[in-house]
Amino acid sequence: MSEDTPLPMRVRTRRLVQTELTSVAQDLFVAQGYDATTVDQIAAAAGMSKRTFFRYFPSKDDLVIGKYDLFADRMAEALDDRPAEEPVWVSLRRVFDITLDYVQDDRQRARNDAMDEIVRSSPQLNARYLERMQRVQQLLIGRVATRLTGQDPDPADPTAAALVGAAFACMQAARSAWFASDRSAPFGDYLDTAMAAFQTIRTTTDRGADPHSG
């Protein structure tokens, strides 16, 4: 499927249901804990049967990890939506806009922190989480490589992987700095500052850029 081909309705519908189930489950996890929350409770809160729940997630663990699959898809789609002529570094910064609410919104952050704690407390879930986060970056790396060269990604060229890795490092640095601050300024400002530190990388690696430009 090309980047310009819309997703089939059944795929979009499935994602919407999975997103709703994940949201309902997160609220229950925050309120009563992961272990104390059953699939029956999640299904009931979402207004569906347990059997229907299993059509979307094979288990409660898969629901937790499914959050990161949905996040990966959102990141990839956000990059696909950026103008082809836009500098890659700018596009990556705009893609990270989808993370702002997860950091700035108190309710979203509480849910996100609760889910992260669930994942960290389980070696099995944590291993699967690391796999999913690698998938997030891989989805972006292929797209960035194509934007840089106009050709299929070359596994022997580390440029795209370096850019995506640097962008994610900037996001983590901005997040740490924002939490250490009084939080009077938006998280997006911190993200802008962190990514501006790589201005030289952006201007020397985008297609058609002069490698000697400042």
Side-chain angles (χ1 to χ4, degrees):
M1 182 177 294
S2 72
E3 292 181 2
D4 296 326
T5 303
L7 291 171
M9 178 62 72
R10 66 179 182 281
V11 175
R12 297 201 301 271
T13 300
R14 182 176 180 81
R15 284 190 185 177
L16 286 172
V17 175
Q18 288 177 321
T19 300
E20 176 62 21
L21 276 170
T22 300
S23 178
V24 168
Q26 286 176 352
D27 287 339
L28 289 172
F29 295 155
V30 171
Q32 59 192 37
Y34 180 71
D35 291 334
T37 302
T38 67
V39 170
D40 287 309
Q41 290 172 329
I42 297 170
M48 66 176 60
S49 68
K50 184 176 179 180
R51 181 177 180 180
T52 301
F53 172 93
F54 286 128
R55 293 177 185 170
Y56 295 97
F57 294 106
S59 69
K60 189 170 67 171
D61 283 0
D62 285 295
L63 181 148
V64 172
I65 295 302
K67 164 194 171 182
Y68 302 105
D69 286 327
L70 294 170
F71 178 71
D73 291 338
R74 287 187 65 198
M75 294 281 280
E77 289 165 7
L79 183 56
D80 289 345
D81 287 341
R82 301 307 305 172
E85 68 277 6
E86 185 174 65
V88 167
W89 196 247
V90 174
S91 293
L92 288 171
R93 168 60 190 89
R94 296 275 66 90
V95 166
F96 286 155
D97 282 341
I98 70 174
T99 71
L100 299 184
D101 283 346
Y102 289 101
V103 177
Q104 293 182 152
D105 183 87
D106 290 340
R107 181 169 178 270
Q108 286 269 34
R109 188 169 65 249
R111 294 167 64 185
N112 194 56
D113 289 347
M115 297 294 284
D116 287 346
E117 179 58 32
I118 289 167
V119 170
R120 284 194 298 267
S121 65
S122 166
Q124 179 178 341
L125 286 176
N126 194 55
R128 293 179 66 185
Y129 159 77
L130 293 175
E131 291 176 358
R132 293 314 196 275
M133 293 311 293
Q134 181 64 26
R135 176 176 178 260
V136 174
Q137 294 203 30
Q138 287 300 324
L139 284 175
L140 297 185
I141 287 169
R143 287 164 165 80
V144 167
T146 299
R147 284 183 177 233
L148 289 174
T149 66
Q151 301 175 351
D152 291 337
D154 178 3
D157 185 351
T159 305
L163 281 170
V164 173
F168 273 82
C170 287
M171 182 171 65
Q172 184 57 46
R175 189 174 187 274
S176 296
W178 189 77
F179 279 118
S181 73
D182 62 8
R183 305 181 191 177
S184 59
F187 172 63
D189 290 355
Y190 283 78
L191 192 51
D192 288 337
T193 299
M195 295 193 72
F198 286 82
Q199 181 73 19
T200 300
I201 293 177
R202 188 196 74 186
T203 57
T204 59
T205 55
D206 284 331
R207 180 170 46 182
D210 179 357
H212 301 293
S213 63

